[in-house]
Amino acid sequence: MSQFLPVNKKDMEERGWDQLDFVYVTGDAYVDHSSFGSAIISRLLESRGYKVGIIPQPDWRKKESVTVLGEPRLGFLVSAGNMDSMVNHYTVARKHRQKDSYSPGGKMGLRPDRAVIVYSNLIRQTYKKTPIILGGIEASLRRMAHYDYWENKVKHSILMDSGADLISYGMGEHSIIEIAEALDSGIPVEEITYVAGTVYKCKDLSRTYQPVVLPSFEEVKEDKMAYARSFAIQYQNTDPFTAATMAESYGNKGYVIQNPPALPLTQDEMDDVYDLPYTGQYHPMYEKDGGIPALEEIKFSLTSNRGCFGSCSFCALTFHQGRILQTRSHESILKEAFHMTQDKDFKGYIHDVGGPTADFRQPSCQKQLTKGVCKNRHCLFPTPCKNLTADHKDYVSLLRKLRAVPKVKKVFVRSGVRFDYVLADPDKTFLNELARYHVSGQLRVAPEHVSDQVLKYMGKPSHEVYQKFLKEFDKATKSAGLQQFAVPYFMSSHPGCTMKEAVKLAEYVRDLGFTPEQVQDFYPTPSTLSTCMYYTGIHPLTGEKVYVPKNAHEKSIQRALMQYKNPANRELVLEGLKIAGRMDLVGYGEKCLIRPIREGHEKASGEKSRFGHQQGHVSSGRKKTIRNNHTRKKQK
């Protein structure tokens, strides 16, 4: 038990502690593993000599639940956990999920909706003056005024609604240490306004130097064009080397000020973070409930990088981890792998070696290390930049070393490869070794759609690029003497996707011989470019108007088209084909999606469509696995 940080007064007494420096309140169960943000931040503070305790999943209905460790000397740290609490609780259709993988036994209901606000307000009821610092994905992506899908309106910066003092946004290692040192030296929390990677409140702009003043909260709340303009400014100021300080007015309540992001971790710093003394386990108090499901998924996986220059529109990584790649050294990763093999439950399989994108092991170009990323250009979209360094040598070397670790039978790559980056590398060694050693039957890739119009709004490469990758992967697989297949993730109802494009995707699914068991409808989560398009109907970086499928019925049709073989979807599919003017796909031909309605059965084929006006709604979210339920021959 002494390996875990204190979770109650008894634990503190065993360590001889009367008072903690920091109390970390989190919406997740307590898992002391480097894949959990609460573990990283608490262990990092511990390594600097601070006394830290954890209150995991306090009962928000009881004020005393946040007092179990007493008042900390320096402050409370508050996070919703590894997932946004609203995404954790609700599907894109706003229906309650049945399982919470970050809770004991997968039980739902152990954290509140909008956990950061609830926990922070709960703390403030008892501790009126104690500093409260917010962190994690929920706070990071709500750090300024933002569109909220669940209430369908623009909401304040989470700093305004929570009663907290600061937000440490992004991954937070640099900023949390600087905040801790400032508080420890006696600086009042309201004067900690200079730390990179933080957001704070103030009455006026006197503590800032030449800030970029964003449209006010009232403006973005009332005017969608102003919202899009504000988002574009924020999107172009996410780089630590070039970003400006930004200020957002809340009228007589003052301003919310966002400092530029913290600098990315150096490789030595990242190694130090992952070399902290994590137990790698969930707290023993969860044993009676069967443990924490999320740990099972990542226990035998290795994090090798952070950040992503892929810049997919529906992904929040640009706002959270940033576009500059940060990597661990081979030595650090191999050390963790060796330690992993000593676990009694290790069966010889490393489940993943990667990060947001597995095969990114260096910045996209050397300019980023001194000048930052380009504000108005992407590294891979619409085509790879001429300055892109597409090189897999380091990743290939790492994977070879991991395959040679004693007791390791197989090393999988499951966190996803960026197929256009693979094609941009003239050396095919990685692709060949990926097919030969690191795939087991199926390689999951994310083309997302087949319509170039939709892919443009997604920030993804053209469908032609994906088709080229399939040929190269098939060639590499055959060369290895194996029979393997690329299994695609597809998304329905993304901004820009009309019924015509939805039908085009259904035809592609038909030709592949796939029946997707689950289809991911676009989920409009805070602070993604796609969510901005969903809410405003405007592409914030170009100003062009974007068609958005918001109508719930239309979204159901688009989703049903990908599962057109399901008899329950027949009426929706028929309606979609009528709307798209594709009744040629109703019939008995091999290219038809559905059969004609038998005379006198169900509704007449000429019945008027129930679908009304075509509006828009975005979605960005977690992708589900698509299984190949049809013959291998058809997939070829």
Side-chain angles (χ1 to χ4, degrees), residues 200-220:
Y200 63 93
K201 297 175 290 190
C202 60
K203 287 296 183 184
D204 53 43
L205 301 179
S206 61
R207 300 189 71 91
T208 65
Y209 177 71
Q210 295 184 335
V212 172
V213 180
L214 299 170
S216 70
F217 173 74
E218 287 302 321
E219 288 181 88
V220 298

Side-chain angles (χ1 to χ4, degrees), residues 267 271 328-336 398 401:
Q267 188 166 88
D271 285 355
R328 294 170 65 187
S329 68
H330 290 199
E331 292 73 22
S332 172
I333 296 170
L334 288 166
K335 180 180 177 181
E336 185 179 349
L398 173 62
K401 291 174 184 177

Side-chain angles (χ1 to χ4, degrees), residues 296-351:
E296 299 170 15
E297 300 171 17
I298 49 84
K299 186 175 181 180
F300 298 119
S301 294
L302 295 165
T303 298
S304 70
N305 62 47
R306 280 187 189 173
C308 183
F309 51 79
S311 301
C312 298
S313 301
F314 46 78
C315 179
L317 276 168
T318 295
F319 273 71
H320 192 58
Q321 291 190 5
R323 290 168 58 191
I324 296 178
L325 252 289
Q326 303 148 71
T327 59
R328 294 170 65 187
S329 68
H330 290 199
E331 292 73 22
S332 172
I333 296 170
L334 288 166
K335 180 180 177 181
E336 185 179 349
F338 177 78
H339 181 72
M340 185 183 291
T341 64
Q342 308 308 303
D343 191 290
K344 61 181 177 60
D345 296 323
F346 184 70
K347 306 298 183 185
Y349 301 99
I350 295 177
H351 296 160

